[in-house]
Amino acid sequence: MYRVLKVNRRLLNGIPLLLLILAVAVGLSLTGGEDAVRASAESGSDTYIKWVDFDIPYTALDRAMKLDVETYGADDGTHLDWVELLAVLGTKYGGDFSKYRERDLTSLAESIQKGESIEEITKGYKNYAYYHEAYDAVLGGLVGEYELQTEQDGELVWEKRYGLKAYCPIAKGYAYNDYDDFGNSRSYGYARRHLGHDLMALVGTPVVAVESGTVEVLGWNQYGGWRIGIRSFDGRRYYYYAHLRQNRPYAEGLEAGDVVMAGDVIGYVGRTGYSVKENVNGITASHLHLGLQLIFDESQKEGPSEIWVDLYSITRLLSSNRSETVRNAETKEHTRKYLLLEPVPEDRFIPAPVELSTGDAG
């Protein structure tokens, strides 16, 4: 890791009641006006997306990703982009993936491989541009080219690969369990919905970065306890890791402004939070709260227009790719065993210095 930006760590605990009321009101308004939002994206308006319902099941994600990986570098040029495939299906289903059937995905893939273009396939559909932008915002950093260290004949060598380059947030070899808890009720501080995904694990379990990016903020939050916020290089995804371990929550030396690679150890599972006082174990069961916020405009970062995504199907997908770690007996710190390397874009998003943080709720 290397430091690229220093960040002020002054944090604000809690969300004002008026802000909460506005959030509910705007959320209801956007729910009812989803078609208008999609239409603005379809028409090429500079109005940014304000609402995303992401309910793509694991089975669809897994099959679409495998089609993408299997056809990458195809001699006939028929590479199947998984985001395009899912966006076509999203358009066909009106965003309701309870209608998903694998035969629809298979038929779509066959049509593309026979020479039909996405433009031809979606000619009779509405709002394809919306679904493509929305799903690319969610999934855009998960699959691609990268280099990974592997061990051959006792030596570490680099291999160029294409495929799933994002990681399960719980390191390899450590047990966890989860279920789809997005939207469940929470009552600490104020009545609200759970806008993240909890992975139950023992205190001290290494937590790794899902995607490569820049550490935007780390420190104490009343609801999330010790937490880390990491922004993707394209700036569209903000990963929120909360309730980290008391006393030693973070990987040694980690600071706001650092660049981390997917699979790097960033912290440790704990049960901190639910307290205005720092370093308090206010959570009864140790777990990692993982959140994913979509940001189409910086005004969405804090406040009533935040967009959080249900991560259950995505974490199921990521469970097949877990980062192996090694423990230093002297320092008791964990580091990844095999390094990953991917380009850090010159025009990558660099988070602005953080003065306040209100939206990280556990």
Side-chain angles (χ1 to χ4, degrees), residues 225-244:
W226 294 123
R227 52 65 159 117
I228 303 171
I230 296 177
R231 189 77 79 96
S232 61
F233 290 142
D234 64 11
R236 296 184 299 175
R237 289 170 298 285
Y238 174 77
Y239 292 92
Y240 171 61
Y241 308 80
H243 306 315
L244 301 179

Side-chain angles (χ1 to χ4, degrees), residues 278-354:
E278 287 191 2
N279 209 32
V280 172
N281 279 331
I283 305 295
T284 56
S286 62
H287 67 278
L288 171 69
H289 170 106
L290 178 68
L292 174 59
Q293 183 186 6
L294 303 184
I295 302 171
F296 298 95
D297 184 88
E298 283 305 298
S299 66
Q300 295 176 304
K301 181 60 174 66
E302 304 280 355
S305 56
E306 294 177 2
I307 302 173
W308 295 89
V309 173
D310 186 342
L311 284 171
Y312 180 63
S313 60
I314 291 177
T315 52
R316 283 194 64 189
L317 187 74
L318 298 178
S319 66
S320 65
N321 194 31
R322 301 182 68 178
S323 182
E324 187 173 354
T325 64
V326 292
R327 181 177 182 271
N328 184 312
E330 184 177 342
T331 66
K332 301 180 181 179
E333 290 290 331
H334 290 255
T335 55
R336 70 183 304 160
K337 185 173 182 179
Y338 300 110
L339 300 180
L340 175 140
L341 180 65
E342 61 176 316
V344 178
E346 290 185 6
D347 61 346
R348 69 181 178 85
F349 179 87
I350 300 179
V354 175

Side-chain angles (χ1 to χ4, degrees), residues 146-160:
Y146 63 99
E147 292 185 59
L148 185 70
Q149 279 185 332
T150 60
E151 198 167 345
Q152 296 181 9
D153 299 324
E155 294 186 2
L156 290 175
V157 298
W158 287 96
E159 284 188 2
K160 290 186 177 181

Side-chain angles (χ1 to χ4, degrees), residues 181-184 193-197 289-292 306 308-309 361-362:
D181 55 344
F182 188 84
N184 287 359
R193 295 171 59 227
H194 184 231
L195 299 179
H197 182 56
H289 170 106
L290 178 68
L292 174 59
E306 294 177 2
W308 295 89
V309 173

Side-chain angles (χ1 to χ4, degrees), residues 143-186:
V143 171
E145 296 178 337
Y146 63 99
E147 292 185 59
L148 185 70
Q149 279 185 332
T150 60
E151 198 167 345
Q152 296 181 9
D153 299 324
E155 294 186 2
L156 290 175
V157 298
W158 287 96
E159 284 188 2
K160 290 186 177 181
R161 297 185 178 185
Y162 178 88
L164 185 61
K165 61 178 182 176
Y167 284 83
C168 172
I170 301 296
K172 184 176 181 179
Y174 291 86
Y176 73 91
N177 60 76
D178 63 340
Y179 66 97
D180 193 355
D181 55 344
F182 188 84
N184 287 359
S185 62
R186 293 289 186 270

